[in-house]
Amino acid sequence: MADRTERQAGATIHAGGEWLTAISGATREILDPADGRPFAVVAEGDEKDAERAVTAARHAFDHGPWPRTPVAERAALLRRVAGLLLRDRETLGLLESRDAGKTVEEGRVDIDCVADAFRYFADLVAAEAPGRVIDAGSPDIHSVVVHEPVGVCALITPWNYPLLQASWKIAPALAAGNTFVIKPSEITPLTTVALIGLLTEAGLPAGVANLVTGPGHTVGARLAEHPDVDLVSFTGGLASGTKVAQAAAPTVKKVALELGGKNPNVVFADACATEEGFDTAVDQALNAAFIHSGQVCSAGSRLIVEESVRDRFVTELARRAQRIRLGRGTEDGVECGPLVSEQQRAKVEAYVASALAEGAVLRCGGKQPAPAAARPESGWFYEPTVLDACHREMKVVREEVFGPVLTVETFRTEEEAVLLANDTEYGLAGAVWSADTARARRVAARLRHGTVWINDFHPYLPQAEWGGFGRSGTGRELGPAGLAEYRETKHVYENLAPRPVRWFAG
């Protein structure tokens, strides 16, 4: 691990099995969100570096062994990677904390989930049947549907969960026999660089895994449009996702988009009828909104609570939100870290200001915290914020804030709750809280969101599909569908007793 960390200072582009500097010689400093200071240097690639990486991936797919490697061997390599991830769990968790601003504990949990993803796709592909036989109605015909790798995959990942999102793409792509070029966010690339090192250590052939560190408008744009790329998988914001789809369209390549969310957390009064139920619903509302400072695509940023319990619920929620301990993620006792960048904090501040101008009531937060020992003044911290008396016309309710901001809306009837929850351009995730099982399931069935939790928020299973409705995206990750994204389907029809057809005389 030490060798890979040292290498990041000079050469973080990986192409054809070699660690390289940017062709231009450009570099970028990686800043610690907790104090705004640089702590690492990476290569700043551009279109030429993307071209070099795609060429390597194309050659490895067309001429290398990986697409033709037996499934059992591919699965065994993925399991070795999972073991290496757990071996380096502490180092990687710390690196993820410093890079993205999250707490070390969150970083450790992320590494565990990454290892789970690699193990899951190893088990999934290893257990599959070799093909689906179709009965053609004749003993002389053998007809089978088989799956083949797509080819060269361009994988573009976001800054909030750098390694986790990378694993959701890399593990199924490798399991299916593809080669790839990955472009992590230019502001949080370090654990992805480390992962490529682990893939190499596990024995992945040269050219299968390629990495370009650099910005989206150069590296990402070239990958999306490149004619030798067969699939592009993007996780990020709606605006960038739209550009990726447009760039990919002329070559009609496969596109998987996992975009943003504006996720409702619907709380019925009966969920709060007991003290335990009330405490659980409040606790989960806090987790939904403020984990990783709200920088989560599935964050429960819209609390939609039944009017009869609204005052008590929001009062307790705000009281507890004010007590969340902010600070550097590597410090003991810290519960929430900084925002990822100064620009992101400014964006959050602008959303809160617009909400207050439109009539929202500030129940807590709404400002930068005072400096403290674990919270340097130069860090990009922002207090957990609860905005009451919100309505659908407000910008803060319609648009994805991606910060520690929770809006509160109220309803009186089940029908109104469903209408409010579905009144969004997005459709990524949502939750329903009710002691009435029939009602909870009824409401969940009516929500137009890709994942719906009942009496819970945020858990996901590697075996389940992850994706959204509406403007939350078009692709699916995790589960069998996540593997299917990285495959083509072929029908092989074999005539065991060929003979003349005699359609025409002669």
Side-chain angles (χ1 to χ4, degrees), residues 72-354:
E73 293 182 26
R74 296 205 300 265
L77 184 136
L78 294 183
R79 293 190 187 102
R80 289 199 296 275
V81 173
L84 294 173
L85 285 160
L86 295 178
R87 180 199 70 187
D88 293 345
R89 180 177 185 260
E90 288 301 312
T91 305
L92 291 169
L94 176 62
L95 190 59
E96 197 79 322
S97 173
R98 293 198 69 189
D99 206 10
K102 60 183 66 182
T103 66
V104 172
E105 184 54 36
E106 287 180 86
R108 294 185 186 114
V109 171
D110 285 358
I111 305 310
D112 292 340
C113 293
V114 171
D116 287 345
F118 274 90
R119 282 193 295 256
Y120 168 74
F121 283 108
D123 293 344
L124 179 63
V125 74
E128 287 184 322
R132 179 167 57 89
V133 177
I134 299 172
D135 184 0
S138 168
D140 295 332
I141 300 297
H142 182 256
S143 180
V144 62
V145 174
V146 297
H147 298 296
E148 296 189 347
V150 170
V152 175
C153 303
L155 313 177
I156 304 174
T157 56
W159 49 257
N160 60 333
Y161 284 89
L163 196 59
L164 185 63
Q165 291 293 333
S167 73
W168 288 13
K169 301 178 190 300
I170 290 175
L174 291 179
N178 298 285
T179 63
F180 69 84
V181 180
I182 188 165
K183 191 210 86 66
S185 167
E186 59 268 33
I187 58 177
T188 58
L190 300 181
T191 50
T192 305
V193 173
L195 177 58
I196 298 300
L198 295 183
L199 291 173
T200 301
E201 184 179 349
L204 191 67
V208 176
N210 304 275
L211 161 74
V212 183
T213 49
H217 70 274
T218 56
V219 178
R222 182 55 181 150
L223 292 177
E225 70 183 9
H226 202 294
D228 281 339
V229 167
D230 301 295
L231 172 150
V232 57
S233 177
F234 171 85
T235 299
L238 175 60
S240 297
T242 301
K243 292 178 182 178
V244 167
Q246 291 170 340
T251 51
V252 201
K253 56 173 57 72
K254 293 184 72 174
V255 178
L257 302 174
E258 198 271 281
L259 307 177
K262 196 64 184 176
N263 312 295
N265 187 20
V266 180
V267 179
F268 284 91
D270 62 9
C272 304
T274 66
E275 286 304 311
E276 182 180 12
F278 175 80
D279 181 65
T280 299
V282 170
D283 178 68
Q284 289 281 20
L286 288 164
N287 293 338
F290 300 128
I291 285 289
H292 194 16
S293 295
Q295 299 171 118
V296 186
C297 61
S298 58
S301 58
R302 293 177 63 205
L303 175 63
I304 302 173
V305 61
E306 192 165 354
E307 188 175 72
S308 62
V309 294
R310 171 255 189 94
D311 289 343
R312 182 188 176 208
F313 197 98
V314 176
T315 297
E316 177 61 12
L317 184 75
R319 184 189 72 82
R320 292 178 59 179
Q322 292 179 82
R323 301 179 66 180
I324 292 175
R325 295 187 292 274
L326 298 179
R328 187 188 295 273
T330 56
E331 295 284 339
D332 290 339
V334 165
E335 297 172 320
C336 204
L339 295 175
V340 75
S341 67
E342 189 173 12
Q343 294 80 4
Q344 188 64 21
R345 185 174 65 181
K347 175 184 172 184
V348 171
E349 289 174 329
Y351 271 112
V352 173
S354 73

Side-chain angles (χ1 to χ4, degrees), residues 414 418 432 436-447 454:
E414 179 180 316
V418 172
V432 182
D436 183 337
T437 300
R439 174 162 63 183
R441 292 175 178 172
R442 186 168 62 242
V443 172
R446 295 182 64 189
L447 295 188
I454 294 177

